[in-house]
Amino acid sequence: MKVLEKHYFWMLLPLLHLIANAAEHEEVAKHAIKLHRGKGAAITQRKQWVLDGCRKLSGLLRQKAVVLNKLKNAIRAVEKDVGLSDEEKLFQVHTFEIFQKELNESENSVFQAIYGLQRALQGDYKDVVNMKESSRQRLEALREAAIKEETEYVELLAAEKHQVEALKNMQHQNKSLSMLDEILEDVRKAADRLEEEIEEHAFDDNKSVKGVNFEAVLRVEEEEANSKQNLTKREVEDDLGLSMLIDSQNNQYILTKPRDATIPRADHHFIKDIVTIGMLSLPCGWLCTTIGLPTMFGYIICGVLLGPSGLNSIKSIVQVETLGEFGVFFTLFLVGLEFSPEKLRKVWKISLQGPCYMTLLMIAFGLLWGHLLQIRPTQSVFISTCLSLSSTPLVSRFLVGSARGEKEAGDLDYSAVLLGMLVMQDVQLGLFIAVMPTLIQAGASTYASIFMEILRILALIGQILFSLAAVFLLCLVIKTYLIGPYYRKLHLESKGNKEILILGISAFIFLMLTVTELLDISMELGCFLAGALISSQGHMVTEEIVSYIEPIRDFLAIIFFASIGLHVFPTFVVYELTILMVLTLSVVIMKFVLAALVLSLLLPKTSQYIKWIVAAGLAQVSEFSFVLGSRARRAGIISREVYLLILSVTTLSLLLAPVLWRAAITKCVPRPDRRSSL
């Protein structure tokens, strides 16, 4: 340690000189400002000030060079000192290197500041773009400096920990340890090795990756009424890393993977959000049932009350929406259970052709209105495609559990036609998501490259069609050879233990979901196909699985519809109620008329009456327009105003959907068949 103390003196000497001259430097800075503003003294005095400043800067740089040489000599002396252990040598050398790095970074900061001043003086103060670029460069420099300082601080903490370990080892060598102390020492060393093995160094590994940006964030702690409790909780959250981070764009982040994986953690914000939604959904759903509305609107109202437009008590919005997606998965699985392959074979032509014709007609009308209103073609295509999609979960809630009577020979079941068209729209959704990057590029492309963009879109369509063929071929193989033995094995192993059956069915759903996702098709289609494959095992199997999966689906569906309510903004609807009602009614009527027109051409004469029911089921806008709209807004395809209009029209169309559905059922379905799951 004597060597360390000796060299510390030489390192601290220039720092003491800088502290002593701090007041003088402040006066120099004030004088420089006066000179810059034209309030200085004569020219000779200005020249003298410049010379003095240059001498001082040159002197500091010479002192820095001298200190660096002494640091190198100190490192060599430590490495040659036989009286120090290897750990002590490593600690002292690491400390010298950190101080050396600090000196180099301080010198770089000086020259960066000079370069920034030179660039600012050469720029035009009226040029906002130039000022913005200068500000961006300074911000990047500050971010890099903050990262370097953070890295240095972490290295100092590691060096300090290393020193403590060295002192402990020296103490243990000088005294005899009891058996318990020896056991604890072995456990401590094993725990240190475990932490080193599982630590990922994600920060160091990713900070140099292309596309990674340094951002300034705020760390926010929860405020408690009791200051003492608040302090205790804050200390605990600081240790566990459960605080909330907010960046300059007002995005909020929470911990997803901790550095220390040995300590269990729970996101209390997410827990509170789910508990609050569960408690408030009951009275909201109860109220809607009392006044004769579907319970799902109560859940949407619950999301509105708790979301940004209401009490704003939901903190983990993304996590709630993610959990709600599982409600969509299980809902479509149960729909697939009632949609057997036999039904699919009867309506596959209508299911394939109907949505394609409707989408093309919607795009044609959108381009026509866009031309009249002078809207860009890419924006018109996006809005038309977005509005052409219908809500599969909503219609599934209408149909699940509904009883339909026997049909005459040649008649088609409206539920089979409707679900087939909705599934095809889900495929179109996956195709549209795949094509969206090309659509974004097409919006910024010149007319000379339009031909290439069309070729890229056709290539993507071919890829999607190939993926669909692969999925249906896989389904045929599973239905023929795998699904029967798989279910019989599950049923045999789950006697007296229904957890195995539930887990096996859920695993099969997730397997089909993963397959369709890997093939760039919508995950919802995989869930639907999983239900259709299991339904091929017979009616008894279907009833048993429905009894187990339905409670899970109901709870997750509550979360899903509440997450929709998080994106409903009643104040915006009230402000623009007239125009929104006109737009919503126009969209609903247009979709109803186009669906009825297309179905009148595709349906056989004996089943023409169901076109009104199917058209009523399709005459609303899918909740996935929220997702598509948000992506398009981030990409610049649509503006903020158009995005809010799409959200509002989607919400109002979903609210009108039960009214139109009931009217169609009452008008077109014989009385014994009117029972529905509304």
Side-chain angles (χ1 to χ4, degrees):
M1 297 300 292
K2 292 182 178 179
V3 176
L4 183 63
E5 293 174 359
K6 177 181 178 181
H7 292 289
Y8 271 164
F9 173 77
W10 292 105
M11 289 187 294
L12 293 176
L13 184 60
L15 296 179
L16 294 174
H17 175 72
L18 292 175
I19 295 173
N21 294 335
E24 181 182 353
H25 290 170
E26 184 177 357
E27 294 298 326
V28 171
K30 291 180 179 179
H31 187 59
I33 294 174
K34 289 182 179 180
L35 290 175
H36 180 67
R37 294 176 178 175
K39 299 179 181 179
I43 297 178
T44 55
Q45 193 172 357
R46 295 180 188 176
K47 291 182 179 180
Q48 184 64 34
W49 177 83
V50 172
L51 291 175
D52 292 342
C54 291
R55 290 194 192 98
K56 291 178 181 179
L57 179 60
S58 177
L60 288 176
L61 294 178
R62 284 196 301 270
Q63 289 180 9
K64 179 246 181 184
V66 171
V67 172
L68 287 180
N69 290 328
K70 292 180 178 179
L71 282 173
K72 293 178 182 179
N73 296 330
I75 291 174
R76 285 194 291 268
V78 169
E79 291 175 346
K80 295 178 181 179
D81 192 350
V82 295
L84 297 176
S85 63
D86 293 338
E87 294 180 348
E88 187 66 21
K89 288 180 180 179
L90 181 63
F91 166 72
Q92 293 188 17
V93 169
H94 188 59
T95 305
F96 293 152
E97 290 175 348
I98 292 175
F99 188 76
Q100 184 178 5
K101 187 187 299 183
E102 174 66 21
L103 292 176
N104 291 328
E105 291 298 332
S106 299
E107 181 182 358
N108 291 335
S109 300
V110 171
F111 288 105
Q112 285 178 0
I114 294 174
Y115 171 75
L117 178 60
Q118 179 183 6
R119 190 176 187 280
L121 292 174
Q122 292 175 351
D124 184 4
Y125 69 93
K126 295 183 179 179
D127 187 1
V128 179
V129 176
N130 181 66
M131 295 173 64
K132 176 185 174 183
E133 180 63 21
S134 300
S135 177
R136 187 192 64 80
Q137 291 185 1
R138 289 195 301 272
L139 185 59
E140 289 296 329
L142 288 173
R143 287 170 176 169
E144 292 181 5
I147 293 297
K148 292 177 181 177
E149 194 68 30
E150 184 77 20
T151 304
E152 181 179 333
Y153 178 74
V154 172
E155 291 178 352
L156 286 172
L157 289 178
E160 182 184 20
K161 180 180 178 181
H162 198 80
Q163 184 185 32
V164 172
E165 295 294 331
L167 292 175
K168 285 185 178 180
N169 291 333
M170 293 177 60
Q171 292 175 359
H172 292 161
Q173 292 175 0
N174 296 331
K175 69 176 182 180
S176 60
L177 298 178
S178 64
M179 182 180 297
L180 178 60
D181 291 334
E182 291 180 356
I183 293 174
L184 292 177
E185 181 65 19
D186 291 339
V187 172
R188 182 187 64 80
K189 293 180 179 179
D192 291 340
R193 287 195 300 269
L194 175 63
E195 288 185 356
E196 292 176 0
E197 290 173 359
I198 64 178
E199 191 171 3
E200 291 190 359
H201 303 285
F203 184 85
D204 295 330
D205 295 340
N206 289 283
K207 67 182 181 181
S208 59
V209 176
K210 182 179 180 180
V212 174
N213 297 320
F214 298 126
E215 295 287 344
V217 297
L218 300 176
R219 181 170 178 170
V220 180
E221 308 286 353
E222 289 247 339
E223 293 184 2
E224 299 290 338
N226 191 317
S227 59
K228 185 176 181 180
Q229 293 179 356
N230 185 24
L231 180 61
T232 303
K233 184 174 182 179
R234 187 168 298 178
E235 292 174 351
V236 172
E237 288 190 348
D238 183 69
D239 292 336
L240 297 183
L242 296 179
S243 305
M244 182 177 295
L245 302 180
I246 305 175
D247 65 8
S248 58
Q249 302 298 321
N250 294 321
N251 297 309
Q252 300 179 12
Y253 304 88
I254 59 172
L255 181 70
T256 57
K257 188 174 183 180
R259 178 185 64 85
D260 186 2
T262 61
I263 302 177
R265 291 166 171 83
D267 183 4
H268 60 277
H269 292 298
F270 183 52
I271 295 175
K272 289 180 180 178
D273 293 341
I274 297 300
V275 170
T276 306
I277 290 174
M279 291 190 299
L280 189 58
S281 295
L282 175 61
C284 293
W286 202 344
L287 178 62
C288 289
T289 303
T290 304
I291 61 179
L293 288 175
T295 54
M296 68 170 194
F297 287 109
Y299 309 146
I300 294 176
I301 293 172
C302 170
V304 174
L305 295 176
L306 297 176
S309 58
L311 300 176
N312 197 24
S313 61
I314 301 297
K315 304 297 182 183
S316 305
I317 293 181
V318 175
Q319 286 70 29
V320 171
E321 293 174 347
T322 304
L323 182 61
E325 283 299 308
F326 285 89
V328 177
F329 298 155
F330 282 98
T331 296
L332 291 175
F333 170 73
L334 291 181
V335 170
L337 284 177
E338 294 195 353
F339 192 73
S340 62
E342 289 73 19
K343 292 181 180 180
L344 182 62
R345 281 195 294 268
K346 292 179 181 179
V347 300
W348 74 271
K349 289 185 179 180
I350 302 173
S351 302
L352 182 63
Q353 298 176 24
C356 295
Y357 293 155
M358 286 186 60
T359 302
L360 292 175
L361 289 174
M362 286 288 292
I363 292 176
F365 276 103
L367 289 173
L368 176 62
W369 282 103
H371 178 71
L372 296 176
L373 300 175
Q374 297 182 348
I375 301 175
R376 292 177 310 181
T378 53
Q379 194 174 83
S380 300
V381 170
F382 172 81
I383 296 174
S384 302
T385 308
C386 193
L387 297 179
S388 68
L389 301 174
S390 302
S391 175
T392 303
L394 177 67
V395 178
S396 301
R397 297 288 289 182
F398 292 162
L399 295 176
V400 169
S402 62
R404 289 168 289 277
E406 295 294 331
K407 305 296 176 186
E408 298 180 1
D411 281 3
L412 293 177
D413 187 358
Y414 67 83
S415 64
V417 176
L418 185 54
L419 290 175
M421 296 182 70
L422 289 171
V423 169
M424 187 58 199
Q425 285 191 352
D426 288 336
V427 175
Q428 289 180 349
L429 174 65
L431 175 63
F432 189 56
I433 291 175
V435 173
M436 186 176 286
T438 303
L439 188 65
I440 295 170
Q441 295 177 7
S445 300
T446 60
Y447 287 100
S449 62
I450 288 179
F451 179 73
M452 296 301 299
E453 299 298 335
I454 293 175
L455 289 180
R456 290 180 60 184
I457 292 176
L458 292 177
L460 283 172
I461 293 175
Q463 179 183 349
I464 295 295
L465 293 178
F466 175 79
S467 299
L468 284 174
V471 167
F472 285 114
L473 181 62
L474 177 64
C475 290
L476 181 61
V477 173
I478 292 176
K479 178 180 180 296
T480 306
Y481 300 105
L482 299 178
I483 191 64
Y486 177 74
Y487 180 77
R488 286 192 293 271
K489 180 67 174 177
L490 273 181
H491 195 271
L492 181 64
E493 296 292 336
S494 63
K495 289 198 173 178
N497 186 6
K498 65 179 182 180
E499 297 173 2
I500 299 297
L501 181 60
I502 295 175
L503 183 60
I505 296 300
S506 301
F508 182 66
I509 297 172
F510 299 148
L511 173 64
M512 294 300 298
L513 178 153
T514 304
V515 169
T516 53
E517 196 271 337
L518 290 176
L519 292 174
D520 293 327
I521 312 175
S522 67
M523 294 185 289
E524 291 77 13
L525 177 62
C527 301
F528 177 85
L529 292 176
L533 288 172
I534 292 179
S535 69
S536 64
Q537 299 303 302
H539 183 66
M540 297 296 294
V541 172
T542 300
E543 286 189 347
E544 182 183 18
I545 293 177
V546 167
S547 64
Y548 290 150
I549 300 297
E550 200 168 29
I552 302 175
R553 187 280 313 271
D554 290 339
F555 175 75
L556 294 174
I558 292 173
I559 306 297
F560 170 72
F561 287 112
S563 67
I564 291 179
L566 298 177
H567 299 282
V568 177
F569 305 98
T571 53
F572 179 77
V573 175
V574 171
Y575 293 153
E576 304 293 340
L577 182 60
T578 303
I579 188 172
L580 289 176
M581 288 301 299
V582 171
L583 290 175
T584 303
L585 290 175
S586 300
V587 170
V588 170
I589 293 173
M590 180 181 296
K591 294 191 68 174
F592 182 85
V593 172
L594 290 179
L597 177 62
V598 170
L599 291 171
S600 64
L601 299 176
L602 298 177
L603 289 173
K605 293 183 179 180
T606 56
S607 303
Q608 283 290 321
Y609 71 95
I610 70 171
K611 66 182 180 183
W612 307 113
I613 305 174
V614 177
L618 298 174
Q620 27 74 23
V621 183
S622 173
E623 68 284 343
F624 287 106
S625 62
F626 298 150
V627 179
L628 295 175
S630 62
R631 292 187 182 184
R633 183 186 173 188
R634 287 196 299 268
I637 297 179
I638 60 175
S639 62
R640 178 191 62 177
E641 293 76 13
V642 175
Y643 172 69
L644 290 175
L645 287 176
I646 290 176
L647 294 188
S648 303
V649 169
T650 301
T651 304
L652 293 176
S653 69
L654 292 175
L655 292 174
L656 290 176
V659 179
L660 188 59
W661 176 260
R662 285 185 174 180
I665 290 291
T666 304
K667 184 72 174 177
C668 303
V669 178
R671 186 168 297 276
D673 299 339
R674 289 183 188 173
R675 288 178 295 169
S676 176
S677 62
L678 290 177

